[in-house]
Short mmCIF file of all heavy atoms in Angstrom, two decimals:
data_model
loop_
_atom_site.label_atom_id
_atom_site.label_comp_id
_atom_site.label_asym_id
_atom_site.label_seq_id
_atom_site.Cartn_x
_atom_site.Cartn_y
_atom_site.Cartn_z
N GLY A 347 17.77 51.60 52.47
CA GLY A 347 18.02 50.34 51.78
C GLY A 347 18.81 49.34 52.65
O GLY A 347 18.46 48.18 52.73
N ARG A 348 19.83 49.82 53.30
CA ARG A 348 20.61 48.97 54.18
C ARG A 348 19.81 48.54 55.39
O ARG A 348 19.90 47.38 55.82
CB ARG A 348 21.89 49.72 54.63
CG ARG A 348 22.93 49.90 53.50
CD ARG A 348 24.09 50.76 54.00
NE ARG A 348 25.19 50.79 53.06
CZ ARG A 348 25.34 51.66 52.09
NH1 ARG A 348 24.36 52.56 51.91
NH2 ARG A 348 26.42 51.65 51.31
N TYR A 349 19.03 49.44 55.95
CA TYR A 349 18.20 49.09 57.10
C TYR A 349 17.19 47.98 56.72
O TYR A 349 16.98 47.06 57.47
CB TYR A 349 17.45 50.36 57.56
CG TYR A 349 18.22 51.12 58.65
CD1 TYR A 349 19.40 51.78 58.37
CD2 TYR A 349 17.75 51.19 59.96
CE1 TYR A 349 20.08 52.48 59.32
CE2 TYR A 349 18.42 51.93 60.95
CZ TYR A 349 19.63 52.54 60.62
OH TYR A 349 20.27 53.26 61.57
N MET A 350 16.53 48.15 55.58
CA MET A 350 15.54 47.20 55.17
C MET A 350 16.17 45.83 54.82
O MET A 350 15.59 44.81 55.06
CB MET A 350 14.70 47.72 54.01
CG MET A 350 13.82 48.89 54.29
SD MET A 350 12.57 48.55 55.58
CE MET A 350 13.34 49.21 57.05
N ALA A 351 17.39 45.88 54.30
CA ALA A 351 18.11 44.63 54.03
C ALA A 351 18.39 43.90 55.32
O ALA A 351 18.24 42.68 55.44
CB ALA A 351 19.39 44.90 53.26
N ALA A 352 18.84 44.64 56.36
CA ALA A 352 19.09 44.03 57.68
C ALA A 352 17.79 43.46 58.24
O ALA A 352 17.79 42.35 58.84
CB ALA A 352 19.69 45.06 58.61
N TYR A 353 16.74 44.19 58.10
CA TYR A 353 15.42 43.74 58.63
C TYR A 353 14.93 42.48 57.89
O TYR A 353 14.46 41.54 58.50
CB TYR A 353 14.41 44.86 58.48
CG TYR A 353 13.11 44.65 59.24
CD1 TYR A 353 13.02 44.83 60.62
CD2 TYR A 353 11.92 44.30 58.54
CE1 TYR A 353 11.85 44.68 61.30
CE2 TYR A 353 10.75 44.13 59.21
CZ TYR A 353 10.68 44.33 60.60
OH TYR A 353 9.50 44.15 61.26
N GLN A 354 15.10 42.49 56.57
CA GLN A 354 14.70 41.35 55.77
C GLN A 354 15.54 40.09 56.09
O GLN A 354 15.09 38.97 55.97
CB GLN A 354 14.82 41.64 54.30
CG GLN A 354 14.48 40.55 53.34
CD GLN A 354 13.02 40.13 53.43
OE1 GLN A 354 12.14 40.95 53.86
NE2 GLN A 354 12.68 38.95 53.00
N PHE A 355 16.76 40.29 56.53
CA PHE A 355 17.60 39.17 56.89
C PHE A 355 16.95 38.31 57.96
O PHE A 355 17.12 37.09 57.98
CB PHE A 355 18.99 39.66 57.34
CG PHE A 355 20.00 38.54 57.52
CD1 PHE A 355 20.71 38.10 56.39
CD2 PHE A 355 20.25 37.93 58.71
CE1 PHE A 355 21.64 37.06 56.51
CE2 PHE A 355 21.15 36.92 58.88
CZ PHE A 355 21.88 36.48 57.75
N SER A 356 16.21 38.93 58.88
CA SER A 356 15.52 38.16 59.93
C SER A 356 14.53 37.23 59.33
O SER A 356 14.36 36.07 59.80
CB SER A 356 14.86 39.11 60.93
OG SER A 356 13.85 39.91 60.32
N TRP A 357 13.79 37.66 58.27
CA TRP A 357 12.83 36.78 57.61
C TRP A 357 13.56 35.64 56.91
O TRP A 357 13.16 34.43 57.03
CB TRP A 357 12.05 37.56 56.54
CG TRP A 357 11.02 38.49 57.05
CD1 TRP A 357 11.10 39.88 57.16
CD2 TRP A 357 9.70 38.13 57.59
NE1 TRP A 357 9.94 40.38 57.69
CE2 TRP A 357 9.09 39.35 57.94
CE3 TRP A 357 9.03 36.95 57.75
CZ2 TRP A 357 7.78 39.41 58.47
CZ3 TRP A 357 7.76 37.00 58.28
CH2 TRP A 357 7.14 38.17 58.63
N GLN A 358 14.62 35.95 56.20
CA GLN A 358 15.33 34.94 55.44
C GLN A 358 15.98 33.92 56.36
O GLN A 358 15.96 32.71 56.03
CB GLN A 358 16.41 35.60 54.57
CG GLN A 358 15.89 36.59 53.54
CD GLN A 358 15.17 35.92 52.41
OE1 GLN A 358 13.98 35.49 52.59
NE2 GLN A 358 15.79 35.76 51.28
N LEU A 359 16.53 34.33 57.48
CA LEU A 359 17.16 33.40 58.39
C LEU A 359 16.11 32.46 58.97
O LEU A 359 16.39 31.21 59.11
CB LEU A 359 17.82 34.18 59.52
CG LEU A 359 18.65 33.35 60.55
CD1 LEU A 359 19.72 32.53 59.84
CD2 LEU A 359 19.22 34.27 61.62
N VAL A 360 14.95 32.94 59.31
CA VAL A 360 13.88 32.07 59.85
C VAL A 360 13.47 31.05 58.80
O VAL A 360 13.29 29.88 59.13
CB VAL A 360 12.68 32.94 60.26
CG1 VAL A 360 11.43 32.09 60.41
CG2 VAL A 360 12.98 33.63 61.56
N ARG A 361 13.34 31.47 57.55
CA ARG A 361 12.94 30.52 56.49
C ARG A 361 13.99 29.41 56.35
O ARG A 361 13.66 28.31 55.98
CB ARG A 361 12.76 31.25 55.18
CG ARG A 361 11.54 32.20 55.17
CD ARG A 361 11.28 32.79 53.79
NE ARG A 361 10.22 33.75 53.82
CZ ARG A 361 10.33 35.04 53.65
NH1 ARG A 361 11.53 35.53 53.39
NH2 ARG A 361 9.29 35.85 53.68
N ALA A 362 15.27 29.73 56.60
CA ALA A 362 16.31 28.74 56.46
C ALA A 362 16.32 27.74 57.61
O ALA A 362 16.56 26.56 57.38
CB ALA A 362 17.66 29.46 56.37
N ILE A 363 15.99 28.21 58.84
CA ILE A 363 16.14 27.29 59.99
C ILE A 363 14.83 26.62 60.41
O ILE A 363 14.83 25.59 61.11
CB ILE A 363 16.73 28.02 61.21
CG1 ILE A 363 15.75 29.10 61.74
CG2 ILE A 363 18.07 28.68 60.88
CD1 ILE A 363 16.17 29.73 63.04
N ALA A 364 13.67 27.22 60.04
CA ALA A 364 12.39 26.73 60.50
C ALA A 364 12.13 25.23 60.16
O ALA A 364 11.69 24.48 61.06
CB ALA A 364 11.26 27.58 59.96
N PRO A 365 12.37 24.77 58.94
CA PRO A 365 12.06 23.37 58.69
C PRO A 365 12.78 22.38 59.58
O PRO A 365 12.16 21.47 60.15
CB PRO A 365 12.51 23.19 57.19
CG PRO A 365 12.38 24.56 56.62
CD PRO A 365 12.81 25.46 57.73
N SER A 366 14.07 22.54 59.75
CA SER A 366 14.82 21.59 60.61
C SER A 366 14.45 21.77 62.05
O SER A 366 14.36 20.83 62.81
CB SER A 366 16.34 21.79 60.44
OG SER A 366 16.72 23.10 60.71
N LEU A 367 14.22 23.01 62.50
CA LEU A 367 13.86 23.25 63.90
C LEU A 367 12.48 22.65 64.21
O LEU A 367 12.33 21.92 65.24
CB LEU A 367 13.75 24.77 64.12
CG LEU A 367 13.26 25.25 65.51
CD1 LEU A 367 14.24 24.77 66.59
CD2 LEU A 367 13.11 26.75 65.52
#
Side-chain angles (χ1 to χ4, degrees):
R348 290 175 171 88
Y349 269 68
M350 292 300 98
Y353 192 76
Q354 179 64 23
F355 190 84
S356 63
W357 287 104
Q358 298 290 77
L359 184 59
V360 163
R361 293 187 183 112
I363 68 173
S366 58
L367 176 63

